[in-house]
Amino acid sequence: MVTSLALAAAGGAVIGLLLSVFGGGGSVLATPLLIYVVGIENTHVAIGTSAAAVAVNALIGLATQARAGRVKWPCALAFGAAGLAGSLVGAHLAKLVDGGQLLLWFAGAMGLVGISMLAPRKSQGDPTVHLDVARTLKLAPLGLVVGLAAGFFGIGGGFLIVPGLMAATGMTLANAAASSLFSVVLFGGATSASYAASGLIDWPVFLCLVAGGGIGALAGGPVAQRLASHADIARRAFAIMVLLTAAYVAFRKLT
């Protein structure tokens, strides 16, 4: 048990570091880590535990971004409110699916994360964007769909939220990345609450993940600065790592 908790803390540090350096996509590694490294055998427990840890880590990041003034609150609230219902439905549906089948689908979701991270990102946009009726009508359905996916797979969904916010509102990448954290907190919180109500969260492992994630996030700042001049290469390397992990998960389940 002690070894498992130590591995959870170490894994949380790695995930926190990756999230701090690369942003969306890092949390998708949490569930495979809990299953294949920490040793949690129940897929649903692994998903519920990782969702809870992701929500807490995202809340810490949201507080930092809010103090810096990067969060576009009206847009974030519209997207998150619509997605909250979707995340609750997604989490409920996931608990009805066999753990082995769910893990195979999770591998597919990881593959999509990796592919999305390989796509080039443009930072251009309107830093003064504001919410209106037209943007709300775009944000609400997108939020609902992304929340459903985030709840079903127990992931933060940042890799979907960021481009969704940019496409619906025209905001900058920096504003979208910051604003997406509000939805990650909501979706992760709703998903983990659903799993907790069913007794599907390993609380000691959750605490170790959060503690390790905090340490990793602190270390991520200096690392991000060092990688700034090679950001595209580093991000592609991380995307390849996610794709390889997805292939490993799929291979393990299929064989």
Side-chain angles (χ1 to χ4, degrees), residues 30-115:
T31 295
L33 180 139
L34 291 181
I35 293 174
Y36 298 114
V37 177
V38 177
I40 293 180
E41 297 181 357
N42 188 315
T43 300
H44 293 100
V45 172
I47 289 177
T49 304
S50 65
V54 166
V56 173
N57 288 333
L59 182 60
I60 296 172
L62 178 63
T64 301
Q65 297 285 3
R67 284 196 297 269
R70 299 189 186 99
V71 180
K72 296 294 183 181
W73 285 108
C75 296
L77 287 168
F79 192 97
L84 179 60
S87 64
L88 288 170
V89 172
H92 176 72
L93 293 175
K95 289 187 291 184
L96 302 178
V97 178
D98 173 73
Q101 185 66 40
L102 182 60
L103 193 58
L104 189 59
W105 290 355
F106 186 89
M110 287 187 70
L112 292 177
V113 172
I115 293 171

Side-chain angles (χ1 to χ4, degrees), residues 137-233:
L137 293 177
K138 292 179 181 178
L139 284 170
L142 277 174
L144 183 64
V145 173
V146 173
L148 182 66
F152 188 82
F153 293 110
I155 56 179
F159 75 103
L160 290 172
I161 300 170
V162 171
L165 286 172
M166 294 179 69
T169 67
M171 68 174 65
T172 66
L173 175 59
N175 289 138
S179 302
S180 72
L181 292 173
F182 177 75
S183 293
V184 174
V185 172
L186 279 185
F187 300 166
T191 300
S192 57
S194 177
Y195 276 83
S198 301
L200 295 172
I201 291 183
D202 189 320
W203 292 110
V205 171
F206 158 76
L207 292 174
C208 289
L209 274 177
V210 170
I215 296 173
L218 291 175
V223 173
Q225 290 179 351
R226 293 193 176 190
L227 291 177
S229 59
H230 306 286
D232 288 340
I233 296 175

